[in-house]
Amino acid sequence: MNNKDIATPVRTKEILNKYGFSFKKSLGQNFLIDTNILKKIVSFADLTEDSGAIEIGPGIGALTEQLARTSKKVVAFEIDQRLLPILKDTLSPYPNVNVIHNDVLEADVAEVIAEEFSETNDIMVVANLPYYVTTPIIMKLLEEHLPIRGIVCMLQKEVADRISAKPGTKDYGSLSIAVQYYTEAETVMIVPKTVFVPQPNVDSAVIRLTKREQPAVKVTDEVFFFQVTRASFAQRRKTLLNNLTSQLPDGKQKKEEILQALSASGIDPTRRGETLSLEEFGRLSEELYPFFQ
């Protein structure tokens, strides 16, 4: 192991002490102190020397450093101003890194990609995501139809389980469908809480999301499709019919139309949302769509 690696307990401590850095709980800051795990995370992204990497929340640069060694260019979004001088120092050996001081949820990521990655058409997002904003960040990256190949990120194991869940399981829900609509999702690694400082309360997992060339199902209106899936899971113990009538706009008045759409989709109205596949949700939303315009 290279002694210069940022992600060792000793080096991390040195850097934090040098700058008098204290962790902000509100920003979900947990830094990885295991170089082997970082290298594995990077390996799941299949980067080459022609690839571009986008990182979110680089911290003190532990993952950034590994990305810089394996890709053509790294662009990292960091929200915490206190980390900027630290990153300038720790990443000084890597001229192929650009740190942007911005909240990725407010950034125009498409514009950043156009400006920063004009020389590569292979771009991956690779990040150790702050746990409190994991879902909004992933959904933003997918809903904006960015020109990326996919996302490899570390997040709470419980959220990873929900993202990669299959129909009929307790973790399967509207988040599983939203992510799997755009990508093929797989959990590739479990990460124990002991390899972070400070230690989080939960174990983490690394998921790989590979963008589909076309969404998993073809629907007329994406917004309505997601509205139907969210409605179907509103109360997990309720039947599809009950959830759809209580959650869709004017659903109670349109009970007959909802029954008609369920019948036309070949779906039993007494089933629960968690038993439906993506394809079934696609059919159902297409049948319901004309009634809710």
Side-chain angles (χ1 to χ4, degrees):
M1 188 186 284
N2 178 347
N3 290 335
K4 294 197 172 76
D5 281 331
I6 293 166
T8 62
V10 172
R11 179 97 197 276
T12 298
K13 198 174 172 189
E14 273 172 13
I15 294 165
L16 297 176
N17 289 345
K18 177 178 174 183
Y19 286 91
F21 183 83
S22 56
F23 293 93
K24 261 195 190 162
K25 209 168 180 182
S26 64
L27 293 177
Q29 289 169 330
N30 303 92
F31 298 163
L32 253 172
I33 48 171
D34 186 316
T35 309
N36 291 329
I37 287 178
L38 285 168
K39 285 181 173 161
K40 267 191 184 161
I41 292 170
V42 174
S43 75
F44 291 126
D46 293 324
L47 300 169
T48 71
E49 54 204 27
D50 293 321
S51 302
I54 296 171
E55 190 188 2
I56 295 150
I60 57 172
L63 176 60
T64 327
E65 170 178 73
Q66 303 298 334
L67 290 168
R69 290 174 185 170
T70 44
S71 64
K72 183 173 187 142
K73 182 171 191 182
V74 184
V75 173
F77 289 92
E78 180 50 65
I79 195 171
D80 187 351
Q81 195 165 355
R82 302 171 307 149
L83 286 164
L84 301 181
I86 303 181
L87 288 163
K88 192 174 179 185
D89 175 4
T90 59
L91 299 173
S92 57
Y94 307 103
N96 59 337
V97 174
N98 183 16
V99 177
I100 296 174
H101 179 217
N102 200 349
D103 177 352
V104 74
L105 287 172
E106 289 170 16
D108 185 337
V109 181
E111 191 180 302
V112 169
I113 289 174
E115 284 172 10
E116 300 278 349
F117 295 111
S118 56
E119 291 176 24
T120 176
N121 56 10
D122 179 58
I123 302 162
M124 281 294 281
V125 176
V126 187
N128 172 14
L129 290 177
Y131 290 164
Y132 72 106
V133 284
T134 301
T135 305
I137 290 173
I138 290 175
M139 290 319 299
K140 174 190 166 91
L141 296 171
L142 297 178
E143 284 169 352
E144 291 184 359
H145 300 283
L146 301 169
I148 58 175
R149 173 161 53 86
I151 302 169
V152 170
C153 63
M154 178 146 56
L155 63 180
Q156 256 174 295
K157 182 178 177 299
E158 172 200 337
V159 180
D161 289 344
R162 283 167 50 209
I163 284 175
S164 57
K166 298 284 178 266
T169 62
K170 68 172 174 47
D171 290 317
Y172 184 68
S174 50
L175 178 62
S176 326
I177 290 161
V179 176
Q180 292 174 34
Y181 172 81
Y182 294 112
T183 70
E184 288 182 38
E186 52 186 330
T187 299
V188 287
M189 185 183 178
I190 306 299
V191 183
K193 50 191 168 198
T194 49
V195 297
F196 294 91
V197 23
Q199 269 194 39
N201 301 326
V202 293
D203 283 336
S204 306
V206 178
I207 57 165
R208 176 166 52 195
L209 306 174
T210 308
K211 245 179 93 175
R212 299 176 188 273
E213 291 197 3
Q214 296 294 328
V217 290
K218 195 171 174 14
V219 293
T220 310
D221 184 319
E222 265 182 23
V223 175
F224 182 71
F225 169 73
F226 290 128
Q227 194 180 357
V228 170
T229 61
R230 277 196 303 274
S232 303
F233 287 98
Q235 290 182 289
R236 291 185 77 95
R237 289 208 265 298
K238 283 194 168 179
T239 64
L240 264 177
L241 181 62
N242 280 342
N243 269 329
L244 293 170
T245 48
S246 64
Q247 300 295 321
L248 289 177
D250 303 325
K252 287 188 174 65
Q253 289 80 12
K254 295 182 176 172
K255 188 170 181 176
E256 283 311 311
E257 289 88 337
I258 292 171
L259 274 165
Q260 196 181 319
L262 283 159
S263 171
S265 324
I267 296 167
D268 183 332
T270 64
R271 282 173 66 183
R272 290 181 182 167
E274 69 206 51
T275 67
L276 268 67
S277 66
L278 254 164
E279 291 68 29
E280 287 177 306
F281 274 118
R283 284 208 305 277
L284 178 58
S285 108
E286 289 302 274
E287 292 293 344
L288 286 166
Y289 184 67
F291 299 129
F292 287 88
Q293 292 323 298

